[in-house]
Every structure is written in structure tokens, then in C-alpha cells.
Amino acid sequence: MNAAFIPVRGGSKSIPLKNIKTMNGKPLVYWTVKAACECRDIDIVYVATDSNKVRKAVNQLKAENQELFCKMEVISRSPETASDTASTESAMLEFAGKYEFDNIVLIQATSPLLTAKDLTGGFGLLAEPETDSVLSCVRQYRFLWEENGQRSAAPLNYDIYHRPRRQDFSGYLMENGAFYITSKQSLLKSQNRISGNIRAYVMSEDTAFEIDEPGDWIIVEGLLRRREISRNRDTLSKKIKMFLTDCDGCLTDGGMYYSENGDELKKFNTKDGMGFSLLKRNGIITGIITGEDTRLVEARVRKLHIDELYQGIHNKLDVVKRLAARYRIGLDEIAYVGDDINDIDVLENVGFPCTVNNASDNIKIRAKYVSRLNGGEGAVREIIEEILCRM
């Protein structure tokens, strides 16, 4: 089990109660808790605090959005681990002595630019052979110097007689303090947040800022606001005129069910059905393209009055191109939902490629929208609503 541990103490000399101070309309801790809860690799998110005010504020976040924060629990930490002189490791070790987990990701609430994608990338590195711990960094392209004892300075990372251009300079990695991942076993053995063979996950340069002083707050809030505005303005380049989706893993949970008589069964979600009705009301052509070939899907298509059905298809892109030609629309006017490698060609060619939360990573990186829900749980309805909102 992978547990996220977010220590949030009440004391802060530079910015009083900074962890629940409003940043871009939300308490500061909201942003890192959100990232942790959205990361599929994290099973449970613990917010550890010594402050009743923090506890109340964080519990209020969960009360306002049970779906988003369903993995989050607020727990106590002792005053000894929350003092100005206490190390973060002391809080981690106290936590490890009380709770069961396999791996722990320490997340610092003062890094609100952290995303679920970053955390997923970190766990991806941890899963690679001979990796014991992972930390987050940013790559900096600055020339470093140090003073020596002779009142002079010397360069640390470049030759002054061969000053590299930025594009030829590999730079250096700097901890940004966003997250650290290790196993419980390694934590207890080393008494440290990272140990053994350590890998670095490189985040965007913006995330170099940590919030320690009021000036940091202003900079980070501006960066966060810009990111959120950009995300909200991510409208479709062209109006969507056709919506196509794979079936198994998108409209269903991907499971294979059989009756006592050996009949194959599929589990569909009624919310997705209503989503197709919304598309029809908006004049959008609908279709299913699947590699399977069953009467169950035919029945579902008839019930929902879906325009197009193609089963037993191996080359899905060819079908999409033929549909585009028949309806005289461009590929950039098509939205497609896929969840596996046989959908990659389509996802790379349509205007709005989408996927579901439990799709494979090589699919997610090709999607412009990844649903919060898993396939078969109303994910397609969620995607449909997102498309209609952006149009």
C-alpha cells in the first residue's frame, strides 16, 4: 500500500497559519492534498497536524468535496514533532510507528504547484529496478560559484574559459522539496526520508519556489493562478462534431463476466447512457469502435440510439478516417475515448483525445483530458460533460 504523508503544523513564524492561509481561493494545503488524492498510485492520504484550526479547515475540504477527497484522513501528530526545531523525519517516524503501509511519499504543503502527474512519475521511478528512494527536483541552468579561504571565488559547475550556451549546458538538479518517496522498511532502517539508491524526478522549473517567506507566497500564488487560468481556458480548437469511444474499459469496467450457462455479460453505466443523449441533443454524431464483437454491444447501441457501431476492428484509425470522410468533417472535429494501445493511433490523430482514470500511462500522456472516474463508473459521461462545457 502506498501512503501519502502531509505534515501540516499550526505554527509558522514567517507566515502565521500559512498552511491554511488562502492561496488562489483555497487553503494552501488544498493544492497538495488534491494532487495526492488524484494520484492513482496513492491509496490513502494522511494529513498530520497538531492544530485544531488546521484539522477543522482540512476536514471542511472533505465535507465540501467527498468525491475528490475520499482518500484523505486527518490524523494527529505530537507537539514534539511539530515544534520549530523538530525534524520532518521525527513526524514521519512517529507516523510509521502507528500506521501500516509499504511505501510512503512525504509531501510538503508548501509546494502547491505539485500535480498528480508528478507523483505518478515519482512512483514510476520507484518501481524501476534497483531504486530505493525518489525525490523531486528541478533542473537549473545557473552558474555556481563558491568562495575559498583566499578571498577569491571559483566556479563549481562550468569552465570560465569555455562558458557553455544554455542549450549546450546540462545544468544541475536542485531539490524543490515537493515530495520524497521511500519504503517503510528503508525509512525505519535509515531514520531518513530517502536512502539507498536514490532517483530524481524532475518537475517544471516553476516548482523551484517553496513558500518560506511572504515574498515567496506572492510569486507562487501568481504562478498557480496563471496555471489554473490556462487550464480553465483550454477550450477546444474546433467545435466537436463527432464523439467516438472504445467500449471495454471505457463504457465498461473491462471485466469479463459469465453466467452459469457460459453467456458473456458486460456491465454498463447508466450515466454514460445519459451522456450520449446529451450529445444527441447538441447535434453531435456518436459512435463506438471496438475490437470485440458481441450482441451485447449491439443491444446497447440500439437502446441508446448511437449512430455508428464498428466491432471486431483492428485498425481503428482507418474507420475514423472513413467516418470523417462520410460526414465531411475533419479529424480535428472528432473526440475519441480510448484506454489501451490499440487506441493510440486514433488518439494521436483526432482533435480531442481522451481517456479514463485507470488507463495505462502511455495512453494518458497522449490524452488532452483524463477523467477522474474509472472506465465503467461514469467516466464517459464525465468526458462528455467536459466537452460540452468547453464548446
Side-chain angles (χ1 to χ4, degrees), residues 191-254:
Q191 304 283 291
N192 201 59
R193 68 186 71 182
I194 48 176
S195 61
N197 189 30
I198 302 167
R199 299 285 300 276
Y201 176 81
V202 181
M203 294 174 58
S204 68
E205 285 190 74
D206 287 350
T207 63
F209 295 96
E210 290 186 83
I211 301 173
D212 295 315
E213 301 297 334
D216 302 327
W217 188 282
I218 295 171
I219 293 171
V220 174
E221 185 169 39
L223 291 169
L224 182 59
R225 183 179 296 114
R226 185 178 68 181
R227 186 186 76 180
E228 294 301 300
I229 290 174
S230 176
R231 179 178 295 170
N232 292 337
R233 287 180 177 174
D234 186 18
T235 54
L236 301 169
S237 59
K238 284 196 175 183
K239 183 178 179 180
I240 293 300
K241 296 181 179 179
M242 179 180 290
F243 178 89
L244 304 171
T245 181
D246 181 28
C247 183
D248 289 332
C250 296
L251 290 170
T252 76
D253 60 4

Side-chain angles (χ1 to χ4, degrees), residues 279-299:
L279 292 172
K280 300 288 283 186
R281 292 177 195 173
N282 284 271
I284 296 174
I285 303 159
T286 57
I288 294 175
I289 304 175
T290 175
E292 298 292 321
D293 191 352
T294 68
R295 288 178 296 174
L296 287 172
V297 176
E298 288 182 9

